[in-house]
Amino acid sequence: MQNIKNYIEQHKQRMLDELFELLRFPSVSADPKYKPDVLNTAAFVAKKLSDAGADNVEICQTAGYPVVYGEKIVDPARPTVLVYGHYDVQPPDPLELWHTPPFEPTVRNGKVFARGACDDKGQFYMHVKAFELMMQTDQLPCNIKFMIEGEEEVGSDNLGTFVKQNKDRLKADVILISDTAMISMEHPSLETGLRGLSYLEVEVTGPNRDLHSGVYGGAVANPATILAKLIASLHDDNNRIAIPGFYDDVIDLTDAERKAINNAPYDNNEYKADLGVDELWGEAGYSTFERTGTRPTLEVNGIWGGYIGEGAKTVLPSKASAKISMRLVPNQSSEVITKLFTDHFLKITPPFVKVKVTPHHGGEPVVTPTNSIAYQAAQKAIAESFGKEPIPTRGGGSIPIVALFEAELGIKTVLMGFGLDSDNLHSPNEKYDLFNYYKGIETIPLFYKHFTELSAK
Amino acid sequence: MQNIKNYIEQHKQRMLDELFELLRFPSVSADPKYKPDVLNTAAFVAKKLSDAGADNVEICQTAGYPVVYGEKIVDPARPTVLVYGHYDVQPPDPLELWHTPPFEPTVRNGKVFARGACDDKGQFYMHVKAFELMMQTDQLPCNIKFMIEGEEEVGSDNLGTFVKQNKDRLKADVILISDTAMISMEHPSLETGLRGLSYLEVEVTGPNRDLHSGVYGGAVANPATILAKLIASLHDDNNRIAIPGFYDDVIDLTDAERKAINNAPYDNNEYKADLGVDELWGEAGYSTFERTGTRPTLEVNGIWGGYIGEGAKTVLPSKASAKISMRLVPNQSSEVITKLFTDHFLKITPPFVKVKVTPHHGGEPVVTPTNSIAYQAAQKAIAESFGKEPIPTRGGGSIPIVALFEAELGIKTVLMGFGLDSDNLHSPNEKYDLFNYYKGIETIPLFYKHFTELSAK
């Protein structure tokens, strides 16, 4: 382990400079205007994989943004780890809330602030640097494959096809992903599950044009008012989702599972203080971290209609819209939920407006096994580098592709994330602690060591 | 009357060219970026008043946009008519829905399309041209004063002060306004009332930053969801406004009044077809035109929050806002209603969000007398030019300043409008029929004739 620490110490600055280079690309996959930047990011990642020592590096074209592939086969008889990550990032808006520009990484008290610092550039790049380290110090104990995509933030629409078409090339014993969080550096943890996702857009149309709210107010339905009523009806008084059948496939946790989650060293008061809210909100009967980790949710991600400019316009709008997404838990199906939502929303639409529901994207929930060799290797690696056994947790986020890997490739995943919930993922001022970055680079080679050793037994 | 028609016939094209000049100014008072254009519009109006023969023309500065004043005193012993209008217009957005540019007037099948074509440039300019006509044909029978303001679309914030400071200059026997609509040219009508207005903006704040909807979804209240619930609660199942005390000051119409309104030759099916809706909506127990003309309403004029750009962003927003306005009917007070709304909204705000309510502007409702000399003069003028008695109607719109004129100057108003509800006021493709424009110029001098004759009796 000493030679790992030494190598990181010697190359600390360069490893950071390279991350900065990566973070300067505004690789926003959701917005077409960033297309050239997203493509340049893919080229950069490919270059860095080659530099680190990967063979057969390829920028694999898809119907959307390319997947960057690279591999190092030390011995076909040895086990193989497939590293997954994504080089695309969320849109940076609202821009005005950033303290420093989202695509000009800045270090403030030991943290690098930039869009993608944690999600997922900072985290997948740890694997590139850990790979370099293992190559340079001649301690890569097994085979490694990289699959870094550019559409995770928009639903990985084309990765499924890529995986189907590259089953042989992607053959591996485990998929290793760092795109999740730990409770804290004092309380290292390993996520054992992810929520699925169903993301839709709804558009409510009232009159065929914007109207004078005085001349027509009271005579015709206001689509913004109706949209509000429709959205309001989607949660009941216990903040449960009021879509018939929504919970039918949810498997309730065992008392033991609930106990484990509630024993995790979380602090509701710190949590409230960090978010600046007086009270938390959520489904009655579940603790905060049961709700985020193990219960499905429905959130309005965006809403708009009518006049939203300066001053006052007395208009009765023609249309009002909302982006709505649901997080799903194990045994729920994105497709089923998308249909349930759509049917319900159309069903509750009153006759004086028209509604259009457009699915954006979805993903299936997953639970990762905690009894696998790979999971045990991750536990040992973290215990060794942090000096503490990791706590198993359930993550609230979604990496839709994980379920697909399992279905298509028959490979389980290990979620060895080094981020923090408070890293402002998808928010202004996204950050990643340099401590976590280097700690990740230090921990990853230990995973390879233990995984290879345990596999040999 | 023949000489009126002849004069209009001779100067038809010039009267239209001048209106086009006026319509080309993007005099949007709500948006500061149009300030120079608004000021240029005032200068143009002043010039045209002088050209038409007005004396003491002045661009009167206020704390906001100026009021253009002009007068012609033929004989202090004669009655005086004070003409009110406004040269500012509503914002043109949504721009993409205009078939031709909003500030490049275009004539299509006998209608001029432009922002302000009807509200109120096309309508107040009829008075300037009718004044010119009376001067040129030497038939101005009484004194006339013009007060054309530039802040009507943003609540006439500074006109109150101007009126207080100019009571002598504004002394008159009646205020004549063309800023309202007729049922149709086949069914000429005269509005006998206007609704008041209370316009506010609400902002709901949840977490102190936009959050990842997966990491935090289910743990903290979503301000867009809460705003939707708050807005949804503002109407009950009968579409009545659910703010305690909201209807306390509303005076119910007499059966005779309801009968008169419901006898007006409106057609619900044409109305629905024009708006492209299958069903109308509104307060239970009242007909469509009772609801728009005589009942108070609450409308969402704009709503926004979270990610409203292209594609999908899985964010749990920090803030969500709405612009909300209420139309008030006689005996309701804008100030009282604004307070009722604010108190109620704060009261129903749940503890897991914070709410800010900001009043924009307001205005009081009015009923104009139908037994006054001025009203009878308007009836006679319309009967003479249209060959039909006008039908008395109640308008749904608001001209907040009318109540103030009555309070400050002690003068009643006659609402002799020549627009149509279907003129797309405040909407894309606002229009004004050339027929109505010329018909107004023809009718106005007849008003002066009858008003002077009746006053002499």
Side-chain angles (χ1 to χ4, degrees):
Chain A
M1 170 139 174
Q2 198 45 50
N3 59 349
I4 295 176
K5 287 192 154 156
N6 292 344
Y7 187 90
I8 294 173
E9 202 45 51
Q10 285 161 32
H11 301 278
K12 222 175 167 78
Q13 189 56 47
R14 179 177 52 81
M15 287 176 168
L16 187 59
D17 295 343
E18 290 177 17
L19 175 60
F20 273 39
E21 274 189 84
L22 176 59
L23 291 171
R24 287 195 184 97
F25 292 98
S27 51
V28 179
S29 49
D31 188 338
K33 81 166 185 270
Y34 292 103
K35 185 170 185 185
D37 306 294
V38 181
L39 296 175
N40 291 336
T41 316
F44 177 86
V45 172
K47 169 89 168 52
K48 290 302 173 185
L49 278 177
S50 304
D51 294 351
D55 303 326
N56 305 318
V57 172
E58 183 185 342
I59 296 174
C60 312
Q61 298 309 324
T62 72
Y65 287 120
V67 176
V68 181
Y69 178 84
E71 64 182 23
K72 189 71 194 180
I73 307 301
V74 294
D75 174 354
R78 300 267 186 90
T80 302
V81 175
L82 175 57
V83 175
Y84 165 83
H86 63 94
Y87 61 82
D88 64 321
V89 299
Q90 280 276 316
D93 22 331
L95 279 169
E96 66 277 13
L97 296 185
W98 284 78
H99 302 316
T100 49
F103 298 109
E104 186 40 60
T106 313
V107 173
R108 289 197 297 279
N109 39 50
K111 302 163 178 59
V112 53
F113 288 83
R115 169 59 81 227
C118 177
D119 179 14
D120 181 44
K121 287 173 171 175
Q123 291 216 66
F124 90 73
Y125 204 67
M126 297 183 310
H127 289 269
V128 180
K129 293 298 96 181
F131 169 58
E132 171 199 308
L133 182 154
M134 292 186 282
M135 292 295 288
Q136 295 298 320
T137 58
D138 194 21
Q139 59 179 303
L140 178 62
C142 65
N143 305 312
I144 183 169
K145 295 176 175 178
F146 286 91
M147 167 173 51
I148 313 298
E149 72 150 320
E151 298 187 308
E152 198 272 344
E153 300 295 2
V154 288
S156 305
D157 289 347
N158 301 291
L159 192 60
T161 312
F162 174 80
V163 168
K164 283 188 185 65
Q165 293 169 345
N166 291 270
K167 287 190 176 181
D168 283 344
R169 175 147 67 157
L170 299 174
K171 222 186 243 338
D173 301 284
V174 66
I175 294 168
L176 181 61
I177 303 179
S178 296
D179 193 17
T180 52
M182 286 190 170
I183 297 171
S184 69
M185 290 297 101
E186 299 66 45
H187 300 292
S189 56
L190 264 170
E191 290 197 4
T192 61
L194 289 166
R195 292 197 286 189
L197 184 71
S198 165
Y199 199 120
L200 311 96
E201 190 159 319
V202 299
E203 180 188 71
V204 178
T205 303
N208 53 16
R209 61 187 186 273
D210 283 5
L211 300 174
H212 185 299
S213 65
V215 176
Y216 290 94
V220 59
N222 182 321
T225 307
I226 302 303
L227 176 60
K229 283 184 177 285
L230 292 171
I231 289 172
S233 77
L234 295 176
H235 285 95
D236 69 14
D237 294 344
N238 292 318
N239 300 329
R240 281 172 64 88
I241 295 154
I243 298 173
F246 186 87
Y247 291 95
D248 287 1
D249 296 335
V250 176
I251 297 167
D252 291 326
L253 293 177
T254 62
D255 294 348
E257 287 173 308
R258 295 188 70 168
K259 194 156 177 301
I261 289 165
N262 293 318
N263 284 343
Y266 285 112
D267 181 328
N268 262 340
N269 291 326
E270 272 176 29
Y271 194 82
K272 283 192 280 187
D274 173 50
L275 298 178
V277 296
D278 298 335
E279 285 196 26
L280 297 173
W281 175 101
E283 185 182 358
Y286 295 89
S287 71
T288 305
F289 303 96
E290 287 177 317
R291 298 200 305 265
T292 54
T294 72
R295 299 295 298 173
T297 58
L298 181 149
E299 297 294 342
V300 176
N301 304 113
I303 186 167
W304 67 100
Y307 183 68
I308 64 179
E310 269 298 299
K313 186 170 192 280
T314 49
V315 65
L316 193 164
S318 170
K319 290 179 188 296
S321 302
K323 295 176 194 274
I324 296 174
S325 65
M326 289 158 286
R327 298 281 170 171
L328 313 178
V329 296
N331 202 47
Q332 283 186 299
S333 147
S334 173
E335 196 180 312
V336 169
I337 291 297
T338 299
K339 187 174 186 321
L340 280 177
F341 178 96
T342 306
D343 294 348
H344 176 68
F345 207 78
L346 296 174
K347 185 160 167 290
I348 62 176
T349 299
F352 27 76
V353 297
K354 293 173 191 61
V355 156
K356 198 172 79 192
V357 180
T358 312
H360 263 300
H361 64 274
E364 303 307 332
V366 285
V367 178
T368 60
T370 53
N371 56 359
S372 67
I373 283 176
Y375 185 82
Q376 290 161 31
Q379 279 181 307
K380 281 172 169 287
I382 289 170
E384 194 173 339
S385 63
F386 285 79
K388 265 189 194 160
E389 281 292 324
I391 301 161
T393 62
R394 285 286 198 88
S398 307
I399 309 176
I401 209 65
V402 172
L404 183 133
F405 292 148
E406 191 170 331
E408 290 299 325
L409 304 173
I411 319 176
K412 296 285 186 184
T413 295
V414 166
L415 300 165
M416 194 166 68
F418 295 87
L420 298 174
D421 282 353
S422 56
D423 279 338
N424 296 334
L425 274 58
H426 298 206
S427 310
N429 307 304
E430 179 177 351
K431 67 171 178 66
Y432 193 40
D433 285 42
L434 297 181
F435 178 88
N436 303 35
Y437 179 61
Y438 293 117
K439 201 69 177 169
I441 299 172
E442 175 187 333
T443 306
I444 292 163
L446 298 171
F447 169 83
Y448 283 82
K449 172 169 151 278
H450 293 297
F451 180 62
T452 309
E453 287 172 6
L454 290 169
S455 304
K457 282 181 184 151
Chain B
M1 171 132 173
Q2 198 45 49
N3 59 350
I4 296 176
K5 289 193 154 154
N6 293 343
Y7 187 89
I8 295 173
E9 200 47 50
Q10 284 160 34
H11 302 278
K12 224 177 166 77
Q13 189 55 47
R14 178 177 53 81
M15 288 177 168
L16 187 59
D17 296 343
E18 291 178 16
L19 175 60
F20 273 38
E21 275 187 82
L22 176 58
L23 290 172
R24 287 195 184 97
F25 292 97
S27 52
V28 180
S29 49
D31 189 339
K33 80 167 186 270
Y34 292 102
K35 186 170 185 186
D37 306 293
V38 181
L39 295 174
N40 291 337
T41 316
F44 177 86
V45 173
K47 170 85 167 49
K48 291 301 173 186
L49 278 177
S50 305
D51 295 351
D55 302 326
N56 307 316
V57 172
E58 181 186 343
I59 297 174
C60 311
Q61 298 309 323
T62 72
Y65 286 121
V67 176
V68 181
Y69 178 85
E71 63 181 25
K72 188 70 194 182
I73 308 301
V74 294
D75 174 355
R78 300 269 186 89
T80 302
V81 176
L82 175 58
V83 175
Y84 165 83
H86 63 93
Y87 61 82
D88 65 320
V89 298
Q90 280 277 316
D93 24 323
L95 279 167
E96 65 276 14
L97 297 184
W98 285 78
H99 302 316
T100 49
F103 298 110
E104 186 40 61
T106 313
V107 173
R108 290 197 296 278
N109 40 49
K111 301 162 178 63
V112 53
F113 288 83
R115 169 59 81 227
C118 176
D119 179 14
D120 179 45
K121 287 172 171 175
Q123 292 218 64
F124 90 74
Y125 204 67
M126 298 184 307
H127 288 268
V128 181
K129 292 298 95 180
F131 170 55
E132 170 199 308
L133 181 154
M134 292 187 281
M135 294 294 288
Q136 294 300 321
T137 58
D138 193 21
Q139 60 179 307
L140 178 64
C142 65
N143 307 312
I144 182 167
K145 295 177 176 180
F146 286 91
M147 168 173 50
I148 313 299
E149 74 151 315
E151 299 187 309
E152 198 272 344
E153 300 294 3
V154 287
S156 305
D157 289 347
N158 301 292
L159 193 60
T161 313
F162 174 80
V163 168
K164 284 187 185 66
Q165 293 168 346
N166 292 272
K167 286 189 176 180
D168 284 345
R169 174 147 68 157
L170 298 175
K171 224 187 240 339
D173 299 284
V174 65
I175 295 168
L176 181 61
I177 303 178
S178 296
D179 194 16
T180 52
M182 286 189 171
I183 297 172
S184 69
M185 291 297 100
E186 300 66 47
H187 300 291
S189 55
L190 265 170
E191 289 196 5
T192 62
L194 289 166
R195 292 198 284 190
L197 184 71
S198 166
Y199 198 119
L200 312 96
E201 189 159 319
V202 299
E203 180 187 72
V204 178
T205 303
N208 53 16
R209 60 188 188 272
D210 283 5
L211 300 174
H212 184 299
S213 66
V215 176
Y216 290 94
V220 60
N222 182 321
T225 306
I226 301 303
L227 176 59
K229 283 182 177 286
L230 291 171
I231 289 173
S233 77
L234 296 176
H235 286 96
D236 69 14
D237 295 345
N238 293 317
N239 300 329
R240 280 172 65 86
I241 295 154
I243 297 173
F246 186 88
Y247 292 94
D248 287 0
D249 297 334
V250 175
I251 297 166
D252 291 326
L253 294 177
T254 64
D255 293 351
E257 288 173 307
R258 295 187 70 167
K259 195 159 179 302
I261 290 166
N262 293 320
N263 283 343
Y266 285 110
D267 181 329
N268 263 342
N269 291 328
E270 275 177 26
Y271 195 80
K272 282 191 280 188
D274 172 51
L275 298 179
V277 295
D278 299 335
E279 283 194 30
L280 296 172
W281 175 101
E283 184 182 1
Y286 296 90
S287 71
T288 305
F289 303 98
E290 288 177 321
R291 298 199 305 264
T292 54
T294 72
R295 298 296 296 174
T297 57
L298 182 150
E299 295 295 342
V300 176
N301 303 113
I303 186 167
W304 68 100
Y307 184 69
I308 63 179
E310 270 297 302
K313 186 170 191 281
T314 48
V315 66
L316 192 162
S318 170
K319 291 177 187 299
S321 304
K323 294 175 195 275
I324 296 175
S325 66
M326 290 157 286
R327 298 282 171 170
L328 313 178
V329 295
N331 203 48
Q332 283 185 300
S333 148
S334 173
E335 197 180 314
V336 170
I337 291 297
T338 299
K339 187 175 185 322
L340 279 178
F341 178 95
T342 306
D343 295 348
H344 175 69
F345 207 78
L346 295 174
K347 185 159 167 292
I348 61 176
T349 298
F352 27 74
V353 296
K354 292 172 192 63
V355 155
K356 197 172 81 194
V357 180
T358 312
H360 263 300
H361 64 274
E364 304 306 332
V366 287
V367 179
T368 61
T370 53
N371 55 359
S372 68
I373 284 175
Y375 185 82
Q376 289 162 31
Q379 279 180 308
K380 282 172 170 284
I382 289 170
E384 195 172 338
S385 62
F386 285 80
K388 265 191 192 157
E389 281 292 324
I391 301 160
T393 61
R394 285 284 197 90
S398 307
I399 309 177
I401 209 65
V402 172
L404 183 134
F405 291 149
E406 191 171 330
E408 290 297 327
L409 303 174
I411 319 175
K412 296 283 187 184
T413 295
V414 167
L415 300 165
M416 193 167 70
F418 295 87
L420 299 174
D421 281 352
S422 57
D423 279 337
N424 297 335
L425 274 57
H426 298 204
S427 310
N429 306 304
E430 179 176 351
K431 67 171 179 66
Y432 193 39
D433 285 42
L434 296 181
F435 178 88
N436 304 37
Y437 178 61
Y438 292 118
K439 202 67 176 171
I441 298 172
E442 175 188 332
T443 306
I444 291 162
L446 299 171
F447 169 84
Y448 283 82
K449 170 168 153 284
H450 294 296
F451 179 62
T452 310
E453 288 172 5
L454 290 168
S455 303
K457 284 185 182 148

